[in-house]
Amino acid sequence: MSLQSALQELSLFRRNNIRKSQETFNKGLVVLKAGGTAKLGEEGWAFLEQLALASLDIGRIDIADQCLLQLAEKFPGSPRVDVLTGIRMEATESPSTVLSYYDELLRADSTNAAAWKRRISVLRRMNKVEKAVEDLNEYLDTFYTDVEGWLELADIHSSANQYTHALEALSHALLLNPQNPFTFLQFAETAYTAGDLPLALKMFLVVIDMNEVEDEDTIPLGISVRAWWGTKLCSRQLVSSQTSHESNSNTPVPKNIKLIDELATERVLTAYSGEHGIQARSLVSNWMSGR
């Protein structure tokens, strides 16, 4: 591989936030050995950070240390380099040692968001869930607009079967990023797991509305297939239930629930009508008909 092509692909990875660790390492090693860092100018420091993270991902601590040494010499006392050093410590040091290091960083600068998030990550790996939730709530009191922080909090609560709290965290993520259908899908699936079928149905339909064009002949793809499956799961239970489903959110069941169920059946089957889905269509059809 030529130095120029390696530099171009690594730059593309950085711009698109792609983290293909092994591929990044292989290309980055070509650049490092060829002394290509100097040719990148100021962008060379972003490259070193990129290579350091990739090296840690695949266990090449030696290369990560080379990158960190150059970064520390260029940016002494940089909060970004300090956090990168902490990530390096996570690879070889005990969790308690790493926590102490992040505590030092936060005592020096309590607004170091990256240090907060790495500390919370370490707490989760130590299975100190309550402390991780406490710290994450404290972090979000300051950095309310961090959508990833709210998604992390929702994930922690979901992993502990605390779905009501998870939905509360996801509500904040939706408020901050109302154009992301994947967050709506996560909310819908969490509501379904929590047993709030009317709320789950409502949110699955929102996902569909955000992604599908108004053409009944279009085959659902990607996230829309998953949303239609969720819609079918909800509507099937709501139609067949002899009693009214309780909704903790007081979300009403749509009056046209039977029509929604029929439409969901049609759209799910349509999703399996293409060349690659035809083999599974009979299985799906049997499930739909209760056989």
Side-chain angles (χ1 to χ4, degrees), residues 68-87:
L68 269 171
L69 181 61
Q70 294 184 56
L71 288 167
E73 288 177 350
K74 174 65 177 179
F75 306 103
S78 163
R80 192 172 182 131
V81 176
D82 287 342
V83 171
L84 192 58
T85 301
I87 297 173

Side-chain angles (χ1 to χ4, degrees), residues 37-223:
T37 308
K39 298 180 181 179
L40 292 172
E42 289 301 313
E43 200 174 347
W45 309 113
F47 157 73
L48 286 173
E49 181 183 36
Q50 179 187 25
L51 180 57
L53 290 170
S55 301
L56 290 171
D57 284 345
I58 66 170
R60 287 297 303 269
I61 309 298
D62 55 327
I63 300 299
D65 284 342
Q66 289 183 42
C67 298
L68 269 171
L69 181 61
Q70 294 184 56
L71 288 167
E73 288 177 350
K74 174 65 177 179
F75 306 103
S78 163
R80 192 172 182 131
V81 176
D82 287 342
V83 171
L84 192 58
T85 301
I87 297 173
R88 158 65 180 87
M89 291 174 64
E90 290 179 39
T92 55
E93 303 294 332
S94 67
S96 58
T97 301
V98 179
L99 280 179
S100 297
Y101 174 76
Y102 286 134
D103 284 341
E104 288 180 15
L105 294 184
L106 290 171
R107 277 195 293 271
D109 180 10
S110 62
T111 64
N112 189 334
W116 271 105
K117 296 173 89 167
R118 292 310 310 173
R119 187 178 190 282
I120 292 162
S121 176
V122 173
L123 287 170
R124 287 198 71 178
R125 289 203 300 275
M126 295 173 70
N127 204 30
K128 294 185 176 182
V129 178
E130 291 185 5
K131 181 59 177 171
V133 170
E134 179 185 334
D135 280 18
L136 191 46
N137 277 315
E138 185 178 349
Y139 166 79
L140 289 169
D141 282 342
T142 303
F143 301 96
Y144 175 80
T145 58
D146 188 339
V147 176
E148 288 185 0
W150 289 109
L151 294 176
E152 175 83 2
L153 183 59
D155 184 64
I156 294 175
H157 283 308
S158 292
S159 66
N161 300 326
Q162 298 172 341
Y163 299 113
T164 300
H165 292 307
L167 289 171
E168 290 173 356
L170 287 170
S171 295
H172 290 283
L174 289 176
L175 182 66
L176 292 166
N177 191 10
Q179 304 302 321
N180 190 333
F182 290 96
T183 307
F184 278 95
L185 181 65
Q186 184 177 349
F187 189 102
E189 292 178 342
T190 304
Y192 181 86
T193 307
D196 194 335
L197 296 182
L199 178 61
L201 175 62
K202 176 182 177 180
M203 295 311 239
F204 279 127
L205 291 173
V206 169
V207 176
I208 292 166
D209 187 56
M210 293 175 75
N211 283 276
E212 286 212 335
V213 294
E214 295 182 9
D215 185 353
E216 61 183 17
D217 295 327
T218 302
I219 297 176
L221 298 170
I223 189 175

